[in-house]
Amino acid sequence: FAAGILLNTSELLNKDIYAATGWYTPTDIVNAVEKFSGKKTTYNEVPDETFRSFLPDAIAHELMQTFMLVRDYAYYGPGGDKILAESLKYVAEKPTTLEEFVAKSGPY
């Protein structure tokens, strides 16, 4: 992403660039892991307070607020999918997709 920005500085000045390859849900991740591992995989969301109980008190509130914002509004916020699509036009090298990453990360 950095190379693409440097190569297109004048065009991208004062614009946001989102460094990601796509929007992935827990289901997307589970499906990719199952596809390349051949093993049944599940995602189990636990209630916020249950998850928070596993965190150190010093960071629990702030980290939970961050996770809840991402869950409720997406990582980049409303409209982020459009900016992400635009950002991908400027990458100098094709970024690794979720499926490519999972395929390379085995054996499982």
Side-chain angles (χ1 to χ4, degrees), residues 37-96:
S37 71
K39 298 177 183 176
K40 177 71 177 152
T41 307
T42 59
Y43 166 75
N44 297 304
E45 186 171 339
V46 297
D48 294 346
E49 287 307 312
T50 301
F51 183 75
R52 183 181 178 152
S53 72
F54 294 108
L55 301 172
D57 288 340
I59 64 166
H61 178 74
E62 290 296 325
L63 197 53
M64 280 306 301
Q65 291 295 311
T66 300
F67 288 156
M68 290 165 57
L69 285 169
V70 170
R71 178 194 63 203
D72 296 342
Y73 300 104
Y75 186 79
Y76 290 120
D81 53 340
K82 293 176 184 164
I83 297 172
L84 175 59
E86 186 68 21
S87 298
L88 289 170
K89 295 177 184 176
Y90 295 98
V91 295
E93 295 179 26
K94 179 184 171 287
T96 303

